[in-house]
Amino acid sequence: MRRRTLLTGFGGIAATGALSACGGGETQQNEAPAEIGEDTEATLELAYWDRNQSVTVEALIASFTEKYPRITVTPALTGPSEYWTRLRTQAEGNNLPDVFWMSGLHVQLYASNGMLAPVADDVNFDVFPQAMTDLYTVDGVRYGIPKDFDTIACWVNQRLVEEAGVSLPDPETWTWEEFGETTRAIAAGLGDRGHAVVTDLNIGGQQNWYNTVAQAGGYIIRDGRSGYGDPDTIRGLEFWSNLVADGVVPHPRVIADNPPQTVFNSGRAAIHHTGSWETAGLLADYPDPGELVVVPLPRDKERASTIHGLAYVVAANSPNLAAAAALQRHLTSEEAGRTDAANGTAIPAWEGTADTWHEVKPEWNLEVFTTAAEEYAVPYPVSRNTAAWNQLEADILTPAFAGEVPMAQAAEQLAEQMDALLAAEN
């Protein structure tokens, strides 16, 4: 599944009031929900979008209802492309599911419109990555309990690198310069047999430029203003336009017809610059898993890897708030993390539970993803209506990655238009 395709699938709902800033500052105090017990009766709807995670969802519902036999939990699985449309319709009808998956791109919009119940103070957030806790904190109020997370690294086809006659530098210390030299050599060595690097520059920056912008010392959004006009941000963008110009990364038009996942999974690319979410698909579909290994992203001024992930949230108007809050806690518990990890579908957010996830394929060095989360992750950039300027990114930056307009010109245009959208959020 293309992560950003899902994340940007939200068309936006009418928003009123002031923009809510994510993370930072003191968190407000919220009382614990009422106690529930074995005799508590309730009917809850649990909404999510990934069929691959149904085995985990169903197992956790079973263990929850074993503890609370009079509570009925009905799972509501919706396809990725329809999930946000359905949720928007339910929100407009004041009929949200009791408990549902939330992404960082949308939490500010739903929270600022009073649709989400705050998480009580007795939930221990110390067991989750700080960047994930911050992502689901709006105006000092925590609205989501992290479920899982993903970070970005390089998946490497060792066979193709060897066939190109190239040896990788030490990936724990390699720099942008070394990455460029190495991948240009891979491109020359492979010729028509494959691509040196694939990544999708058409669908957003999570896989690629959000990382290099942070590595260069730039930023996407800060204090309600766009960072696209910043010289360091522009340098982080030019990292990719230069690789396209050098023939290292395919032209965006080529990628539009040949998705990076398809190209890499068929053994026609040496490096896939992407996220941990590819793990399940590679386990299922890659013809020779022994060819693969994961290595960290190269560094510039900084080390950086974009972190995002999902949280479980509770509808503020749920008629069974106490039961819904109990289910939310159960779905984000240590038990839930270990269940998620054992199924190999996501990196669980609960500290220590990812060890089982690492073991789904030890030789792949999957610890790279969790080390990034612990040591040098940068939060996914969001605002109250992120999807609006995500569309600007696609419209303005894609021609610049393709070399059709200078990147600095495109970035400054994007900054101006993005600032106008951000101002309208106030």
Side-chain angles (χ1 to χ4, degrees):
M1 177 178 65
R2 292 188 183 185
R3 186 75 167 197
R4 276 297 302 272
T5 301
L6 173 59
L7 295 181
T8 58
F10 181 68
I13 56 180
T16 58
L19 172 67
S20 300
C22 217
E26 295 295 325
T27 57
Q28 295 182 14
Q29 294 186 348
N30 297 289
E31 295 182 1
E35 293 281 337
I36 67 169
E38 290 185 4
D39 295 332
T40 300
E41 296 186 8
T43 299
L44 302 174
E45 181 182 8
L46 167 60
Y48 68 108
W49 65 67
D50 187 356
R51 184 176 300 278
N52 291 330
Q53 298 199 36
S54 291
V55 61
T56 298
V57 171
E58 291 166 2
L60 293 173
I61 289 175
S63 58
F64 180 78
T65 54
E66 182 178 356
K67 186 176 181 181
Y68 302 107
R70 294 179 179 271
I71 298 178
T72 300
V73 180
T74 302
L77 172 64
T78 306
S81 60
E82 298 87 22
Y83 182 84
W84 295 107
T85 301
R86 181 174 186 267
L87 203 66
R88 180 177 71 244
T89 300
Q90 291 174 312
E92 291 170 345
N94 206 29
N95 188 35
L96 283 169
D98 299 278
V99 181
F100 54 101
W101 279 9
M102 177 55 64
S103 88
L105 277 76
H106 307 133
V107 66
Q108 291 194 34
L109 189 57
Y110 279 86
S112 63
N113 279 277
M115 298 176 185
L116 305 181
V119 178
D121 293 336
D122 62 336
V123 172
N124 179 17
F125 280 85
D126 292 340
V127 298
F128 304 117
Q130 186 62 47
M132 286 296 299
T133 298
D134 291 346
L135 190 61
Y136 291 98
T137 301
V138 180
D139 273 354
V141 179
R142 292 168 176 156
Y143 286 99
I145 305 180
K147 168 198 173 304
D148 59 38
F149 68 85
D150 46 64
T151 56
I152 311 300
C154 292
W155 290 87
V156 178
N157 180 324
Q158 299 174 97
R159 174 183 57 82
L160 282 184
V161 172
E162 184 177 341
E163 286 182 7
V166 177
S167 297
L168 293 183
D170 181 355
E172 291 297 328
T173 60
W174 65 342
T175 63
W176 278 13
E177 183 178 0
E178 290 173 317
F179 183 87
E181 291 173 353
T182 301
T183 53
R184 283 191 291 271
I186 292 173
L190 289 178
D192 294 336
R193 289 176 293 166
H195 299 290
V197 180
V198 288
T199 192
D200 202 331
L201 294 168
N202 294 309
I203 62 170
Q206 182 183 12
Q207 297 179 36
N208 32 65
W209 76 81
Y210 287 176
N211 303 276
T212 51
V213 163
Q215 291 158 11
Y219 62 100
I220 305 300
I221 183 172
R222 182 183 297 161
D223 299 328
R225 299 279 296 178
S226 173
Y228 275 111
D230 182 86
D232 287 330
T233 299
I234 294 170
R235 200 162 59 83
L237 296 169
E238 289 174 339
F239 176 93
W240 293 105
S241 56
N242 290 339
L243 290 178
V244 173
D246 291 344
V248 172
V249 173
H251 191 285
R253 282 196 298 271
V254 173
I255 285 298
D257 296 328
N258 301 274
Q261 294 93 332
T262 302
V263 174
F264 188 78
N265 290 13
S266 62
R268 293 183 285 122
I271 296 174
H272 191 185
H273 195 289
T274 188
S276 51
W277 59 81
E278 301 290 351
T279 303
L282 289 168
L283 281 168
D285 301 331
Y286 199 83
D288 184 1
E291 294 178 350
L292 304 182
V293 70
V294 178
V295 302
L297 301 179
R299 70 183 73 197
D300 188 52
K301 291 181 180 178
E302 310 283 348
R303 293 192 83 178
S305 177
T306 303
I307 188 170
H308 185 266
L310 306 180
Y312 276 106
V313 296
V314 171
N317 66 346
S318 169
N320 297 292
L321 273 175
L327 178 59
Q328 178 192 34
R329 294 174 187 228
H330 183 77
L331 295 168
T332 54
S333 63
E334 183 176 5
E335 173 195 338
R338 296 200 180 281
T339 303
D340 218 354
N343 291 329
T345 51
I347 308 175
W350 190 289
E351 184 179 20
T353 59
D355 292 346
T356 305
W357 184 79
H358 296 153
E359 294 306 312
V360 298
K361 204 69 177 174
E363 60 269 36
W364 283 0
N365 196 30
L366 295 172
E367 292 91 341
V368 167
F369 292 112
T370 52
T371 298
E374 294 163 1
E375 297 182 5
Y376 52 90
V378 293
Y380 192 102
V382 295
S383 73
R384 182 171 179 177
N385 196 3
T386 311
W389 50 266
N390 280 165
Q391 187 59 52
L392 280 181
E393 290 174 321
D395 293 344
I396 295 173
L397 292 182
T398 300
F401 288 128
E404 297 168 6
V405 296
M407 182 58 76
Q409 175 184 322
E412 289 166 3
Q413 177 188 357
L414 174 56
E416 181 179 353
Q417 294 188 29
M418 182 174 165
D419 276 338
L421 288 175
L422 292 171
E425 293 181 351
N426 290 312

